[in-house]
Structures are given as C-alpha cells and as structure tokens.
Amino acid sequence: MSEAVFPVTEFEDRADRAQRLMREQGLDALLFTTEAEVRYFTGFRTLFWQSPARPWFCILPRTGKPIAIIPQIGAHLMASTWVDDIRTFAAPHPTDEGVGLLSDALNPYAVVGMPMGRESSLRMPLIDFERIKVTLPGTEFRDASALVQALRHIKSETEIAIHREICQIASRSFESAPNLFREGQSLKSAFRRFKIDLLERGADDVPYLVGGAGPGGYGDVISPPTDAPLKSGDVLMLDTGAVKNGYFCDFDRNYAIGHASDAIRQAHRKLVEAANAAAAIARPGKTCADLFNAMTDVLGQSDGGVGRMGHGLGIQLTETPSLTAFDTTVLQERMVLTLEPGLDLGKGKMMVHEENIVIRDGAPEFLSTPAEPDIPVL
Amino acid sequence: MSEAVFPVTEFEDRADRAQRLMREQGLDALLFTTEAEVRYFTGFRTLFWQSPARPWFCILPRTGKPIAIIPQIGAHLMASTWVDDIRTFAAPHPTDEGVGLLSDALNPYAVVGMPMGRESSLRMPLIDFERIKVTLPGTEFRDASALVQALRHIKSETEIAIHREICQIASRSFESAPNLFREGQSLKSAFRRFKIDLLERGADDVPYLVGGAGPGGYGDVISPPTDAPLKSGDVLMLDTGAVKNGYFCDFDRNYAIGHASDAIRQAHRKLVEAANAAAAIARPGKTCADLFNAMTDVLGQSDGGVGRMGHGLGIQLTETPSLTAFDTTVLQERMVLTLEPGLDLGKGKMMVHEENIVIRDGAPEFLSTPAEPDIPVL
C-alpha cells in the first residue's frame, strides 16, 4: 500500500519545500538511499527495507517529481505512489545492482546533495557508491543532511493527526498497566502483554519496546526484556515506539511494583516536573537548548547518561533535532518532539520519563496523555 | 540483555573463525558499523539501532576479543556481553561522534577490512568515514563482505535451535488460520490477528509481516496490508519474519477464501512441488544455482519478478547467499536457507511460497512444517 492516508498535495508540498531550499543552496538534485527519505518524498512504504539484499534509490531533481530507481520487486508498490518515473533493475544481480541506472540518472546534474552528516547512513554498498563517483567525475556530491532534516522537522497536520492517534493508543495501553503487569510476572511476559494490548487497540506495529525493572531504578534504557520476574519494590519502565500508518510514538511510563520508596516517588515527581518545565516554555522562537536547560534546572543534573533529553519524532523513532545543551535549533510550529528527562540515581541505577508534544503558536499540544507526578503503584 | 542464550564459546568460535580468515587474507582488523555484524561478534542486542541518532562501532583485531566503541548510552548493556574493551563517547556530540576514538583504535592496523560489497551499508555519516580515512592516510580499507558473509552462512546448533523454535511458532500460527482469517475481514485486521497469535505463541517480536490478497493472486510480496475486506475467491498470502532471541523465521503461506479456482490450486501445487524439488537435492556440495534451477525446472519460468527464489536466514530477515542462477555458493552443513519459488500468473498477479530449511549431511531439515500441495480453503 502506498501512503494512501496522504493526499498527493502532501508530497507536492514536500518536494516544493525541498526544491526551494535546493535552489537557494545551488543543488541540482538530491539523492536518497535510506528508507525514511525515500518514503518521505515518494510515499513508498514497505517493511521490505529490513532485507539488506537490495539497494533502493530516489532522486529529487530541482524541478518536477522524484525519480525512483529501484529493484523490480518494488515496481508494483511504487506504481501506487505519486511517482511517475520508475526505473527498475534486476536484483540481486551478479555485477550491477542499479549502479548503471543510477549513474545515468545522475548524469545531468552538476551538484548532487545527499545526507552525509549527522544521523545519516549510506544504504548501498560503499564500493558501488565509489563506482558512481568514478563514473561521474564532473559531479560534485555535497552534504544535504541539514536541508532534509529541516524539512522533516515541520510536520503537516495530517502527519500530526497520525502521531496523535498512535500516541493516544499508547496512552490507553499505559493506562491499562494494572491489567497487564503484576508481581511475579517475567519482564518478557510483561512486554509481550503490552505489545499485544497496543496491537489490539489499533497500533499497526510495535517496532520498538525496551525498558527495565529493578529496585531503586534500572540499569539502562535500551535493553530487551529478560526472564527475570517482577518483584515487589521494583521500578518497571516500558518505553515504546509503536507505529500507525508509518509514524511513531515514542514515550515511556514508570510503575512501582507493590510499593514505591520515597526516593523513587521523589525521582518520579522530579522527572514529571522537568518535562512540564520544558513544555511550559516550548514556543516558536525558543531553542532545543532552552528546553534542555529548563529540564536540567529542575533535575539539578545533566542527562543521566543518555546524552540528550528528547528529540524529534516522525517516520523514524528518533529524528533531529536533539534536546541538548549544544543544539540551538529554533523551535517552530508543527515540530513534533519528545521531552525525555533522565536522572542518574547512583549505584548504576537510573530513571527516565518521556512525553510527546507538538510545538504550537502558544502552549504546546501534548500528544501523549501527560503522566501524573505520583508514580503509579501496581 | 546480552545474548545470554549463547555460551561465551559461541562468540569465541565466531572470532576464531573470522581471525583465521583474516590471517589468510592479510587483514589486521575488521571494522563494523551495522547492527547484525556488531551483534554477531559482541552479542550486543538492542532495538535501539532503530534510532539513527548515534553511530556504533566494533573492531575485531587479528587476535583477541572485539573492541566496542560506542555511545555512553550503550555502556551498561555492552558490559553484559563477553567484550572487555569498551570505549564510550558522548553522543549526540556537537563535533565528534566517536571519530576520534575510532581513529585512535584503528591506528595500529595497516589493513582494515569492512563490509563494502553486496548487501552491505555504511551505518555512520559518510563525512565521518572520510574524516577517518584522512586521519589514517597509511591505513588501507579493504572490502571484507565475503569474509563476514561466509562466516555467517554457517550456523551453530544453538542458532539453529532458535531458528527451529521460531519457525515452529510461526507454523502453529499458520495452522491456526481458520481461527484467524475470514471473509469480510479487512486485510489489516487479518494481519493484526496473525501478529497477536505469533506473540501469544511465544514470538518475541514480529518485525516483518507483509502479504496481499486478491482474486487470481496478489500484485506483489512486499506490501503492508490495506483496509480492503477479504472476499470469497481471494488468495490470501502472509509472509512473516518473526523473531525469537534475535533470530528470524521467514516464510509465507497461501490460503483461498471461500473457494479456490483450478488455476490457483494448480499454481499452489506447482509452488510446493518446486520447493520440494529444491529440498530434494539440497546437500553439501550442491550450489545455490542448483536449487534455483531445480525450482525453475518445475515452474517452467523464472522467479516471478522477485529476483531470486530463496536466501540465507539468521540475525537478519535475509542474508546471503541468494538462490539465483548466478550464485554458485556451495552449500555446506548448517546453512539455514529459505526456499521461495514464485509464479508470475499474468495480468499483474503472482503467487509465492516459502519454506525454511537447514542443510544437513543428507536430506535437509525442514524448520518450517512443510505446506501440503493443496491450498487450504478457509
């Protein structure tokens, strides 16, 4: 299925905004090899990117629609998008997986922008990319990470509506915690029940679910669940990136199993207070660093080892910008962000808390139903 | 959680096999930036790779254990693996996301192998990779795709046992089709019910579920489900990559809704016959091309536009080798493969069928419970 949830004007608008920036920056074309960017400009959505076997390419020229240069297996699905110019190659192929077609397609352009900077990767064999550069000695390849990231910072109301829907699904699942989690249950089983609850409430998928549990906090925020049983006195945290129509939510909730110590109650209050302090000043014109500082002011410490306290959200679980002391990206209306304060509790333990918001002209809109200051006891 | 399902000897053996090949090929170290490779050599398993924000690096020197060069957020989880030398950097970072640390770590090595060829990608900013090459003018970076792929072709019995478990979970879910799918149900709802069934039966995750439905076959094999209702006469296909302990199954099943035409019955028989014909000759010493040819002989046509008729399976949904006419990889014991014959049915319709097997000394072991020739009618 193509992105039928979006009208064609959504893609026209994305291309138009990109092309305006391309003209300003002297770029003749943009080249993309990665899922999020190809989807953003074409509407081509498939889980098939999980197979590393075949490269996929998309070119956005300075005028007109994107050009798709893709393996034959994707032709039928790509034809359902707004893209007209679909060039296919046989893949796997013994000697040429799209390199010839891609070189020909890039040939007219003197300056080609592509994501090469922060948060980017090259989803094609490095050897093939080098071959293309050799084939096109007159072509300059230039970093266009910031251009594409800036575009994707600002969501359309259609994108925001999808975010809202998946955030509300996850909020309902988190509210069902008393029915899902209990002392003695293994962490793995708790995660499985939560995932099923998300699907039953309408999530299309739950690509990301991590967390932890332990007395006095957990060790990190990126681990898959173990078979260890939940014990009275544990703090349980689940952090989910669930998906609807290809867009993520990304927030977590903490629960105390049986009872909560004063230290944990206090830490939870502080985390909620920190997120609310950032939300309270989140307006167009403020910066990511401002939000970061608002949170550290409440917490009295930095980021609990996570490296930042929130980030952009969209097609990907995490997108730019980052809420750090050094990210001076200026907030604009319709940015979707996570607020994710973290506390180092000492002795290798930590706690994090996360909400999802949209920057508005005025107070931000909470997409996740905001957590109460008191940690829920299950 | 680290790969607690594996004894440390599993990782020692992987490193040892790699290092023997490195010595043969004159490589002083291997450099990895991608999830599957970092996990294969370290045991570091997390869904956090879905966040593109931070690069992760692993170096395997010619002797000794791997070196992990990772963002601080991963230090706790990496410490639970067999890796001792864990070097962390602050990420996100305004100017240096591990480039300095990585350059220092690579400095002692004259020839560094890394995946640059078929099926590889570079999961770090291209600009940062170029900076490292400039910092280390005496270092030669050489393609080591084939080396790493050859290692990963051969699974341990521990890996195979996990594959068997997830393939059997998926087989049970497919057998439950009469309880899960029905005429009038939307394809989206059918997919959701199937995913929940997989989770309830013990799958950790269902990262991949694609398919289609339609009269006389479906249009492709990579699409997410639509809201269209299943109609009598439709052929329904679901192709799942479900996961247990970080290892995939990857196979599909076809069902006829209400009734099946003779053409569809015949196509299904032919597909099952083709997979069985490949399995019948799948022995150490045969090649991938032999299996491909065994299938095309039955089908009387090539690959239905998919480009191949099976592939390796493991940590990733698809791994090398490919079952194509040109892939002459020689089969060896303990290779885990999918057999995936496809039929172009004309008028833009197709059908595919897939099984998962292990190459053994003698007849292969089916990991998926093999499909019957008659298409099940629901």
Side-chain angles (χ1 to χ4, degrees):
Chain A
M1 185 186 71
S2 74
E3 301 285 72
V5 287
F6 292 112
V8 169
T9 49
E10 177 93 14
F11 298 102
E12 289 170 345
D13 181 59
R14 292 175 186 179
D16 190 57
R17 289 163 62 216
Q19 287 161 338
R20 234 175 302 149
L21 293 171
M22 288 163 69
R23 283 188 288 271
E24 280 173 30
Q25 299 180 22
L27 298 172
D28 299 313
L30 292 174
L31 168 62
F32 302 109
T33 65
T34 41
E35 197 266 337
E37 283 71 26
V38 173
R39 170 140 64 96
Y40 188 76
F41 287 106
T42 65
F44 182 76
R45 179 154 66 90
T46 169
L47 292 169
F48 198 64
W49 290 90
Q50 288 177 55
S51 167
R54 303 171 182 83
W56 303 75
F57 308 110
C58 166
I59 295 172
L60 183 68
R62 198 193 274 229
T63 57
K65 291 187 180 188
I67 303 164
I69 300 168
I70 60 171
Q72 179 58 37
I73 195 172
H76 179 267
L77 183 58
M78 188 62 85
S80 70
T81 73
W82 79 306
V83 176
D84 302 319
D85 189 347
I86 301 167
R87 309 177 191 180
T88 63
F89 52 91
H93 189 278
T95 55
D96 180 2
E97 296 206 321
V99 169
L101 270 187
L102 183 57
S103 299
D104 289 348
L106 289 174
N107 196 38
Y109 310 115
V111 184
V112 175
M114 59 186 286
M116 298 183 182
R118 180 177 291 284
E119 308 208 3
S120 75
S121 60
L122 181 74
R123 195 190 176 281
M124 68 179 292
L126 203 48
I127 284 177
D128 284 352
F129 182 62
E130 295 299 329
R131 279 171 65 196
I132 284 169
K133 288 203 290 188
V134 168
T135 310
L136 301 170
T139 305
E140 182 194 345
F141 290 88
R142 204 185 280 176
D143 181 31
S145 304
L147 184 160
V148 178
Q149 287 163 359
L151 280 183
R152 289 175 53 197
H153 283 172
I154 313 298
K155 268 66 180 180
S156 71
E157 290 298 341
T158 313
E159 291 178 293
I160 291 170
I162 305 173
H163 276 301
R164 192 182 295 119
E165 192 179 349
I166 188 61
C167 286
Q168 281 303 302
I169 287 170
S171 292
R172 296 294 90 76
S173 287
F174 278 125
E175 285 160 14
S176 307
N179 305 321
L180 301 175
F181 313 134
R182 56 174 176 70
E183 192 184 328
Q185 182 185 31
S186 76
L187 201 52
K188 253 192 179 171
S189 153
F191 274 47
R192 179 170 287 121
R193 289 212 57 190
F194 187 68
K195 209 175 283 186
I196 290 172
D197 194 80
L198 285 163
L199 291 168
E200 284 174 344
R201 289 177 195 278
D204 290 341
D205 221 333
V206 189
Y208 189 74
L209 180 59
V210 298
Y218 24 86
D220 71 38
V221 292
I222 66 168
S223 286
T226 65
D227 284 321
L230 290 171
K231 290 187 297 291
S232 182
D234 277 359
V235 180
L236 165 67
M237 184 276 287
L238 293 95
D239 183 1
T240 190
V243 162
K244 186 84 190 179
N245 291 328
Y247 282 76
F248 274 94
C249 69
D250 177 19
F251 63 102
D252 70 11
R253 287 296 178 262
N254 291 276
Y255 305 94
I257 305 297
H259 63 92
S261 68
D262 285 348
I264 291 299
R265 283 181 195 280
Q266 209 172 0
H268 191 269
R269 279 179 178 282
K270 218 168 209 184
L271 289 165
V272 171
E273 195 187 325
N276 289 341
I281 64 157
R283 297 284 188 286
K286 292 280 183 181
T287 68
C288 289
D290 291 335
L291 301 192
F292 179 85
N293 293 332
M295 289 189 268
T296 53
D297 282 352
V298 171
L299 299 174
Q301 55 171 254
S302 186
D303 56 39
V306 171
R308 59 181 177 183
M309 293 202 290
H311 51 78
L313 182 66
I315 285 177
Q316 285 167 302
L317 175 70
T318 80
E319 299 186 351
T320 59
S322 286
L323 303 192
T324 62
F326 64 83
D327 193 326
T328 53
T329 303
V330 176
L331 302 185
Q332 298 176 67
E333 275 184 68
R334 292 189 275 119
M335 279 187 174
V336 175
L337 296 174
T338 78
L339 303 174
E340 189 175 14
L343 267 177
D344 184 342
L345 302 175
K347 299 182 183 170
K349 299 286 183 160
M350 66 180 304
M351 274 178 80
V352 291
H353 168 63
E354 195 168 16
E355 303 282 4
N356 296 164
I357 64 168
V358 188
I359 303 300
R360 295 295 192 184
D361 178 21
E365 174 188 350
F366 272 78
L367 297 173
S368 48
T369 302
E372 297 294 327
D374 287 335
I375 186 169
V377 181
L378 307 179
Chain B
M1 186 185 72
S2 77
E3 299 286 73
V5 289
F6 293 112
V8 170
T9 49
E10 176 93 13
F11 298 102
E12 289 170 345
D13 182 59
R14 292 176 186 178
D16 191 56
R17 290 162 62 215
Q19 286 162 338
R20 235 176 300 149
L21 293 171
M22 288 163 71
R23 283 188 288 270
E24 281 173 30
Q25 299 180 22
L27 299 172
D28 299 312
L30 292 174
L31 168 62
F32 302 110
T33 65
T34 40
E35 198 266 337
E37 284 70 28
V38 173
R39 169 138 67 95
Y40 188 75
F41 287 106
T42 66
F44 182 76
R45 179 154 67 88
T46 170
L47 292 169
F48 198 63
W49 291 89
Q50 288 177 55
S51 165
R54 302 170 183 85
W56 302 74
F57 308 109
C58 166
I59 295 172
L60 183 68
R62 198 194 274 229
T63 57
K65 292 186 179 186
I67 302 163
I69 300 168
I70 60 171
Q72 179 59 35
I73 195 172
H76 179 267
L77 182 59
M78 187 62 86
S80 70
T81 72
W82 79 307
V83 177
D84 302 318
D85 190 347
I86 301 167
R87 310 177 192 179
T88 62
F89 53 91
H93 188 278
T95 56
D96 180 3
E97 296 207 319
V99 169
L101 270 186
L102 183 58
S103 299
D104 289 348
L106 289 173
N107 196 39
Y109 310 115
V111 184
V112 175
M114 58 185 288
M116 298 181 182
R118 180 178 290 286
E119 307 206 4
S120 75
S121 60
L122 181 74
R123 195 190 177 281
M124 68 181 290
L126 203 50
I127 283 177
D128 284 352
F129 182 63
E130 296 299 330
R131 279 171 65 194
I132 285 170
K133 288 203 289 189
V134 169
T135 311
L136 301 170
T139 304
E140 183 194 344
F141 290 89
R142 204 185 278 176
D143 180 31
S145 304
L147 185 160
V148 178
Q149 287 163 358
L151 281 183
R152 289 176 52 196
H153 284 171
I154 313 298
K155 267 66 179 180
S156 71
E157 290 299 342
T158 312
E159 289 178 294
I160 291 169
I162 304 173
H163 275 302
R164 192 183 293 119
E165 193 180 348
I166 189 62
C167 285
Q168 282 303 303
I169 287 169
S171 291
R172 295 296 88 76
S173 287
F174 277 126
E175 285 161 14
S176 307
N179 305 320
L180 302 175
F181 313 133
R182 55 171 178 73
E183 193 185 327
Q185 181 185 31
S186 77
L187 202 52
K188 256 195 178 168
S189 153
F191 275 46
R192 180 170 285 123
R193 288 213 57 188
F194 188 68
K195 209 175 284 186
I196 291 172
D197 193 80
L198 285 163
L199 292 169
E200 284 175 344
R201 288 175 196 278
D204 290 340
D205 222 333
V206 188
Y208 189 75
L209 179 59
V210 299
Y218 25 85
D220 71 39
V221 292
I222 65 168
S223 285
T226 65
D227 284 321
L230 290 170
K231 290 185 296 290
S232 184
D234 276 359
V235 180
L236 165 67
M237 185 276 288
L238 294 95
D239 183 2
T240 188
V243 162
K244 186 85 190 177
N245 291 326
Y247 282 76
F248 274 94
C249 69
D250 178 19
F251 62 101
D252 71 12
R253 287 296 177 262
N254 291 277
Y255 305 93
I257 305 297
H259 62 93
S261 69
D262 286 347
I264 291 299
R265 284 180 195 281
Q266 209 172 359
H268 191 268
R269 282 178 177 281
K270 219 168 211 186
L271 289 167
V272 171
E273 196 188 326
N276 290 340
I281 63 158
R283 298 285 188 285
K286 292 279 184 182
T287 68
C288 288
D290 291 335
L291 301 192
F292 180 85
N293 292 332
M295 289 189 268
T296 53
D297 282 354
V298 171
L299 299 174
Q301 56 172 251
S302 187
D303 56 40
V306 172
R308 61 182 176 181
M309 292 202 290
H311 50 79
L313 183 66
I315 286 176
Q316 283 166 303
L317 176 71
T318 81
E319 299 186 353
T320 59
S322 286
L323 303 192
T324 63
F326 64 84
D327 192 327
T328 54
T329 304
V330 176
L331 302 185
Q332 298 176 67
E333 276 183 67
R334 292 190 275 119
M335 277 185 174
V336 175
L337 297 173
T338 78
L339 303 173
E340 189 173 15
L343 268 177
D344 183 341
L345 302 175
K347 298 182 186 170
K349 299 286 183 160
M350 64 179 306
M351 273 179 80
V352 292
H353 168 63
E354 194 167 18
E355 303 282 4
N356 296 163
I357 63 168
V358 189
I359 302 300
R360 295 296 192 183
D361 178 21
E365 174 189 350
F366 273 79
L367 296 172
S368 48
T369 302
E372 297 293 329
D374 286 337
I375 187 169
V377 180
L378 306 180

